[in-house]
Every structure is written in structure tokens, then in C-alpha cells.
Amino acid sequence: ALYLIYKEALHNAVKHAKGATEVCIRLARNGQKLRLEVRDNGGSVRESLASKGLGGNGLRNMQDRARAVGGSVAYDYQGAGFGIAALLPL
């Protein structure tokens, strides 16, 4: 699940992060959980998400994969860029 969420997040950054010059990836252990963060510095996606709704198949798939193993995924689209934070049990 972790690998597929990571892969989808990178794919989304490459495909959708207009004007991005970097992607920051963090993986950390939080007790008995792993926290994966992927954030780009692309243009604001707020308008795009508001008009299309949050949720292409990729975002839904990340949620489904996390839930299947007892985890969660949160999205951060405030300001510039877009970020995901996945919390998965070890």
C-alpha cells in the first residue's frame, strides 16, 4: 500500500503540478505507524479542485489503499502546491 500510494503521489505531481520546481518527500516512523508526505511547490490547485471536485481516481485509490490496511490519507491544497500525508500501520 505504501509503495502504491507513493507512486500515485509522484505521478500526480509530475502530471498536475503546473510550474513546480521541486517535490519534497518525507518518510518517518511515528510509533507503530509510518507517515509518508509528498508535497510539490506547483501553482495553486484550489480553483481546479473547486471546479472539478477533490477526487480523480488516483486520489480515491490512495484513500482506498490506505483504508484497506487500516490507515488514512489527508490532502493539503491550501496556498501554493499540493501535498498528501499518508499514515499507515506497520
Side-chain angles (χ1 to χ4, degrees):
L2 177 70
Y3 171 73
L4 293 174
I5 292 168
Y6 169 74
K7 182 178 161 186
E8 182 66 37
L10 285 182
H11 170 80
N12 287 349
V14 169
K15 185 175 179 183
H16 301 293
K18 305 296 184 220
T21 58
E22 67 181 42
V23 175
C24 180
I25 301 159
R26 293 186 179 142
L27 181 63
R29 183 175 177 178
N30 254 357
Q32 293 300 310
K33 297 189 180 208
L34 283 176
R35 181 177 177 86
L36 169 68
E37 296 178 25
V38 180
R39 181 161 200 60
D40 67 66
N41 68 344
S44 175
V45 297
R46 195 175 317 166
E47 296 81 18
S48 173
L49 290 172
S51 66
K52 296 178 189 172
L54 179 63
N57 288 328
L59 298 179
R60 250 188 310 276
N61 288 342
M62 284 192 276
Q63 287 283 356
D64 291 344
R65 288 184 174 110
R67 284 188 193 124
V69 296
S72 63
V73 176
Y75 305 109
D76 176 14
Y77 52 94
Q78 301 301 313
F82 185 79
I84 72 111
L87 198 58
L88 305 170
L90 289 173

